[in-house]
Amino acid sequence: MTNLGNIIIAIDGPAASGKGTIAKKLSEYFGLPYLDSGLLYRIVASEVIKHNIDPTKKRLVIDHVKKINFDRIDNGSLRNDNVSHVASIIAQYKEVRDVLLRYQRSFALNGVVMDGRDIGTVIFPNADYKFYITATLEERTNRRFMELLEQNSELNRNIVKNDINNRDQRDIMRKIAPLAKADDAIEVDTTFMKIDDVIDFIVKYIHKDKKS
Ligand code: DC
């Protein structure tokens, strides 16, 4: 573990790019707290589903989001397809994003590694380091397919590919805080890289920057 103080490292990228795994490993390496911001949107989505709220009814979602406790710990049920789908719908609402923005900023008081879609652009435009993690749609589909196959052996690869693609399009096209690479972010295309090579690249980049 290397301690660089209370720095902020922003990791953004499309669905199934590996950004969560990368952010978690970096947080362990640098001894920083870790927050998966997608989980916050998933918590809102699962609450909306639990209360039978139509996610396209913006007013109902906004009224409900104020009642949610975001300190709830992750559990496996937040990672299913329906929650992913509803999360990308409610993520379009400014009022939802504002509530989550406040939570994300207050979480980072002792430094953080945070991954998401708008971390380097909106949540922490002055982050110490910003990385934008990508991989081709085919490769991201392969990764998600292999992950989900363990739970469902009858899974259809094309459905997984469509789900990822539809979600990316909605995240890229939304008006508020869309998925985007910050101008000053370093883009890392991981299509042909192993996770450990990505970590190695980022750690070396940060150490080199610290020395200069
Ligand atoms: O990272 P994830 O797949 O768990 O995110 C689920 C959805 O949440 C994603 O499709 C869009 C939304 N999201 C967002 O809009 N902004 C973020 N910073 C993180 C996630």
Side-chain angles (χ1 to χ4, degrees):
M1 194 174 95
T2 305
N3 193 324
L4 296 178
N6 295 349
I7 60 168
I8 292 182
I9 304 177
I11 311 280
D12 287 302
S17 57
K19 61 188 186 311
T21 311
I22 292 163
K24 195 157 196 306
K25 284 191 180 237
L26 287 174
S27 78
E28 283 158 14
Y29 184 89
F30 290 115
L32 287 164
Y34 165 61
L35 183 66
D36 168 359
S37 68
L39 219 50
L40 303 176
Y41 291 88
R42 287 174 185 273
I43 290 174
V44 177
S46 77
E47 286 288 313
V48 161
I49 295 167
K50 197 166 91 191
H51 290 87
N52 282 321
I53 297 170
D54 176 348
T56 64
K57 299 270 186 301
K58 184 175 165 181
R59 193 66 260 163
L60 297 180
V61 174
I62 293 167
D63 285 344
H64 194 76
V65 80
K66 294 171 191 145
K67 301 176 196 156
I68 298 174
N69 172 12
F70 289 98
D71 291 324
R72 193 174 114 180
I73 314 280
D74 178 17
N75 67 54
S77 67
L78 293 174
R79 298 233 164 259
N80 67 54
D81 290 348
N82 192 28
V83 172
S84 306
H85 174 72
V86 173
S88 79
I89 294 176
I90 57 88
Q92 298 175 96
Y93 306 147
K94 181 179 186 303
E95 293 81 351
V96 170
R97 303 200 73 88
D98 285 348
V99 170
L100 299 191
L101 177 141
R102 284 195 287 279
Y103 183 90
Q104 284 164 274
R105 288 196 179 153
S106 64
F107 188 92
L109 295 177
N110 298 317
V112 75
V113 182
M114 197 178 294
D115 76 279
R117 306 292 191 289
D118 62 340
I119 311 304
T121 50
V122 175
I123 308 296
F124 300 117
N126 298 323
D128 297 273
Y129 296 99
K130 300 179 186 179
F131 296 93
Y132 189 79
I133 310 295
T134 63
T136 59
L137 177 61
E138 288 303 322
E139 175 60 17
R140 291 185 289 120
T141 302
N142 287 343
R143 291 177 190 171
R144 184 53 54 87
F145 183 65
M146 296 313 287
E147 189 185 309
L148 295 176
L149 205 57
E150 288 170 16
Q151 300 151 27
N152 175 6
S153 57
E154 283 161 28
L155 195 67
N156 179 313
R157 191 180 177 283
N158 270 335
I159 293 179
V160 174
K161 185 174 172 179
N162 280 341
D163 283 352
I164 291 179
N165 198 29
N166 291 343
R167 205 143 61 85
D168 282 352
Q169 290 313 312
R170 202 177 293 121
D171 289 341
I172 290 166
M173 300 306 289
R174 73 168 167 251
K175 290 203 186 76
I176 303 146
L179 165 64
K181 176 188 164 305
D183 289 341
D184 52 351
I186 307 294
E187 181 160 347
V188 189
D189 182 341
T190 68
T191 305
F192 302 107
M193 291 173 87
K194 294 199 179 79
I195 286 286
D196 285 348
D197 297 333
V198 180
I199 301 298
D200 199 47
F201 170 82
I202 293 178
V203 163
K204 282 193 177 128
Y205 178 92
I206 292 178
H207 279 310
K208 201 167 156 217
D209 178 83
K210 276 280 160 197
K211 277 191 209 137
S212 61

